[in-house]
Each structure stands twice: as C-alpha cells, then as structure tokens.
C-alpha cells in the first residue's frame, strides 16, 4: 500500500513538473518577444503615425472625389473637425505626485491607528516600507496589468 502511494506521488510530481514547464516556457518566450527596445518602439511609433497620416490622406482624396470637391478643402474640413473634437475632450487628470501619495498613505494609516485597526508601530513600519520603495507601482498597488 505504501508502495502504491509512493508511485502516485511520483506520477503526480512528474505531471506537475511537465505542466509547469509547459506553462512557463511559452510565457517566457512571449515575454522576450514582446519587450522591444526603446529605439524600436520609437521607430514603430513613427511608422504608425506615418501609416495613419497616409490612410487619412487616402480617405480625404476618396471623399473629395466622391463629393466632387477639391481634396485640400476636404482635408481642411477634416482637420477642423479633429481640432473641435480634441477641444471637446476633457483633459486627463494628472496623477498625484509621490509626495501626495505618501501624504495620503500617512493620513490613512493615522486613521487606522485612531480606529484601532493598527498599532502606531505597525503604521510606522508600513510607512517606512513605503518610503524605502518596498511596495511596487504607484501608491504601493503593484503592477496593474488586468486592464491593458
């Protein structure tokens, strides 16, 4: 009976190892492929902007031909609409500075001590860890990859 359990254990460990390698290998390969260098990223952005501009020019020419008006008039109208749309968009809020995040954390920790949820020593330890950069990402939340 012990021998049978040992066999099952070994089979289970072998299966877990194969599964782990099967999951880790493609993940590592994708991580290497998806991390372009800064120069390559800049080049891709430039190419993307150029392709976008080319598509817009083709669209303006096709629209001008269909409407029977000069292409420069259509291009000017599209540019005017684009500027109006940009003006109508609300500006994105600027993220809080490191000092603001630190102050907000201190306020929350002070409130937790006041409410009896933490001791002052625990709050001091959390604050010290945050100041030394132990918590990754903005505000100590870590990388937020779920909404990419």
């Amino acid at each position: 009976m012990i021998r049978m359990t040992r066999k099952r254990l070994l089979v289970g460990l072998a299966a877990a190892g194969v599964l782990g390698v099967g999951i880790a290998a493609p993940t590592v390969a994708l991580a290497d492929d998806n991390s372009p260098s800064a120069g390559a990223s800049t080049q891709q952005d430039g190419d993307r902007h150029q392709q976008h501009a080319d598509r817009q020019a083709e669209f303006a020419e096709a629209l001008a031909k269909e409407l029977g008006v000069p292409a420069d008039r259509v291009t000017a109208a599209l540019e005017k609409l684009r500027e109006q749309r940009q003006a109508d968009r609300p500006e994105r809020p600027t993220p809080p500075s490191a000092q603001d995040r630190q102050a907000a954390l201190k306020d929350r920790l002070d409130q937790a001590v006041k409410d009896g949820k933490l001791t002052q020593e625990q709050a001091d330890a959390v604050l010290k860890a945050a100041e030394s950069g132990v918590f990754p990402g903005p505000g100590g939340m870590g990388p937020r990859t779920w909404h990419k």
Side-chain angles (χ1 to χ4, degrees):
M1 181 122 144
I2 293 175
R3 189 169 180 93
M4 182 60 85
T5 304
R6 188 178 295 163
K7 284 182 184 180
R8 285 185 182 175
L9 178 65
L10 290 175
V11 169
L13 287 174
V18 169
L19 182 63
V21 169
I23 291 172
T27 304
V28 170
L30 285 175
D32 289 343
D33 291 344
N34 291 335
S35 56
S37 65
S41 177
T42 304
Q43 180 66 28
Q44 287 175 351
D45 286 344
D47 291 345
R48 191 175 306 136
H49 289 299
Q50 184 60 43
Q51 289 172 352
H52 181 69
D54 292 343
R55 283 193 312 269
Q56 284 188 333
E58 289 174 16
F59 175 72
E61 288 176 20
L63 186 59
K65 183 177 178 182
E66 186 68 29
L67 295 174
V69 294
D72 59 342
R73 191 168 167 199
V74 171
T75 303
L78 290 173
E79 185 61 34
K80 180 180 173 184
L81 290 173
R82 188 177 307 113
E83 288 173 1
Q84 287 175 350
R85 193 169 138 210
Q86 284 290 88
D88 291 342
R89 287 185 185 169
E91 286 192 37
R92 291 183 177 174
T94 57
S97 68
Q99 291 85 9
D100 292 341
R101 288 192 312 266
Q102 198 74 17
L105 175 63
K106 183 169 179 0
D107 291 343
R108 289 192 312 267
L109 290 172
D110 289 344
Q111 186 62 45
V113 170
K114 185 178 175 182
D115 294 344
K117 295 179 181 179
L118 292 176
T119 65
Q120 187 60 50
E121 292 79 26
Q122 291 170 326
D124 292 342
V126 170
L127 194 58
K128 184 176 179 181
E131 288 173 352
S132 66
V134 170
F135 301 125
M141 295 295 290
R144 298 179 196 166
T145 58
W146 63 84
H147 54 79
K148 275 190 175 179

